[in-house]
Amino acid sequence: MRQEIKKPLCYLNYGNKAFIISLDAFLALIVVSMLFGATYLYVANLNPDSLADLQTIRTGADVFAILDYNNTLNSFNQSNIQKNLDDILPNNYDMKIRLNCNNNKSLETTHNSSENRFVGSGERIFVVYNETTDNLDYCNGRFWIWVK
């Protein structure tokens, strides 16, 4: 009795290995093309103005941190805070600050935001030493910054 040799469904001269490797390479090419396409769409939709807006917010956060580190915020003196703010803040920016503490102290600087411009905002928690009660007061500071 003679045994019959079964032929594969996809009979090629080089066997099925070459077909599988070619198929694998083709699928890899499709996946890489999709990744490049997604990257291109992301970069194409990136708004250059958003980077400038982010820089504005970072400038406000830095100025607010400097006011905190210099203990300017501890005074709760509006004119002192405004003077230091005007000294530190770059000339092309304007900024408004609101401070609220757990001992019901609050303060707000007098600058009003610009119309039809991007206004960035941020928040910082800081601690103020209260000499009368010999306690620490926790305060929440919020800032708004915009380009003049």
Side-chain angles (χ1 to χ4, degrees), residues 36-52:
F36 279 136
T39 303
Y40 174 75
L41 288 175
Y42 176 75
V43 171
N45 289 333
L46 186 63
N47 187 355
D49 293 338
S50 66
L51 298 176

Side-chain angles (χ1 to χ4, degrees), residues 1 6 15 39 44 55 67 70 78 86 94 108 128-129 133:
M1 207 187 302
K6 293 184 180 180
T39 303
Q55 181 63 34
L67 291 174
N70 290 341
Q78 185 176 4
D86 292 338
D94 214 351
E108 191 168 328
V128 176
Y129 176 70
T133 61

Side-chain angles (χ1 to χ4, degrees), residues 59-90 94-99 107 109 111 124-128 141-145:
T59 300
D62 290 344
V63 168
F64 202 73
I66 291 170
L67 291 174
D68 184 19
Y69 288 136
N70 290 341
N71 292 326
T72 305
L73 301 175
N74 293 354
S75 68
F76 264 87
N77 182 342
Q78 185 176 4
S79 61
N80 184 28
I81 292 173
Q82 189 64 52
K83 179 189 170 299
N84 283 316
L85 180 64
D86 292 338
D87 290 343
I88 295 170
L89 196 64
D94 214 351
M95 189 170 175
K96 179 180 179 177
I97 294 177
R98 180 186 303 149
L99 307 175
L107 174 96
T109 58
H111 286 285
R124 185 178 179 92
I125 307 296
F126 61 98
V127 177
V128 176
R142 186 146 185 86
F143 68 87
W144 294 269
I145 187 167

